[in-house]
Amino acid sequence: MRTLISTAFVSLDGVVEAPGGEPGYRNSGWTFKHVDFLPEAFDIKGREQKEATAMLLGRTSYEAFSAVWPDMEDFADYKAMPKYVVSTTLTEDALVPHWGETTILRSVDDVAALKQTEGGPIIVHGSATLNHALSDAGLIDRYHLLVFPLLLGAGKRLFSTTDKDVQKLKLVEHEAYANGLQKQVFDVVR
């Protein structure tokens, strides 16, 4: 079974909305506007590109990332990587042709089937709504979190508010940086 890894920039109060400057959110761009940049705090991002063998996105994140990432040198490893987009509305003709192989999945059940295939880790970037569904379905195996020392209040959250049984996590890697960022890597305990 393939490992499904959710990776996120998250505020201390759990917000993941518009970290890179996406329009429409009051605090858009919060990751680089309010915290000093330290390259070592972002080393995990390069590691993720080297370790992942596929990328999984929700439609909204796909549309945002596919407009910029294909031509960015910082994300070159993702260009050739197979991508999967979970959407009930996205059509084949809306896929970006210069970002490598992309497959549309229509449901969380399709993601569960993808996890059963041969291959290495699948990384999930952004995609708050998709993360809620995947977590609620018990499909996420690991979380890579860069926690920012900010309280943003309103905004899309990484975790759903579904009333469910406790899901235990095991901290497998962590580090705190001089700028207040914390790297937290958790495995989901089954």
Side-chain angles (χ1 to χ4, degrees), residues 71-150:
D71 300 320
M72 290 181 70
E73 190 174 318
D74 288 346
F75 300 108
D77 290 327
Y78 286 141
K79 190 166 187 168
M81 188 179 294
K83 282 161 273 312
Y84 299 89
V85 183
V86 181
S87 173
T88 58
T89 59
L90 191 68
T91 58
E92 293 288 330
D93 62 328
L95 296 176
V96 174
H98 66 287
W99 202 25
E101 174 191 344
T102 304
T103 303
I104 299 171
L105 304 178
R106 296 296 180 194
S107 68
V108 172
D109 289 338
D110 290 343
V111 176
L114 174 64
K115 282 188 65 171
Q116 297 299 323
T117 63
E118 293 293 319
I122 304 165
I123 194 96
V124 182
H125 281 280
S127 308
T129 302
L130 178 59
N131 263 285
H132 295 177
L134 295 172
S135 177
D136 290 349
L139 294 175
I140 296 176
D141 301 297
R142 176 173 273 200
Y143 291 95
H144 287 184
L145 306 178
L146 278 180
V147 181
F148 285 70
L150 302 170

Side-chain angles (χ1 to χ4, degrees), residues 26-67:
R26 177 176 185 252
N27 293 315
S28 185
W30 52 270
T31 56
F32 299 107
K33 286 182 182 175
H34 304 289
V35 178
D36 292 336
F37 179 75
L38 287 179
E40 61 271 22
F42 296 89
D43 284 349
I44 193 168
K45 298 301 174 192
R47 190 174 88 201
E48 288 170 349
Q49 285 189 69
K50 300 295 182 201
E51 294 175 358
T53 60
M55 187 186 323
L56 181 68
L57 300 163
R59 180 195 48 81
T60 302
S61 292
Y62 174 79
E63 289 172 346
F65 296 155
S66 67

Side-chain angles (χ1 to χ4, degrees), residues 4-6 10 131 134-136 138-145 147 158-159 164-173 184-190:
L4 189 59
I5 301 167
S6 172
V10 60
N131 263 285
L134 295 172
S135 177
D136 290 349
L139 294 175
I140 296 176
D141 301 297
R142 176 173 273 200
Y143 291 95
H144 287 184
L145 306 178
V147 181
L158 179 61
F159 300 102
K164 59 185 176 185
D165 291 337
V166 170
Q167 186 174 50
K168 188 172 179 181
L169 305 175
K170 179 181 178 187
L171 184 65
V172 294
E173 184 180 340
Q184 299 175 359
V185 177
F186 293 97
D187 281 344
V188 175
V189 176
R190 305 250 189 248

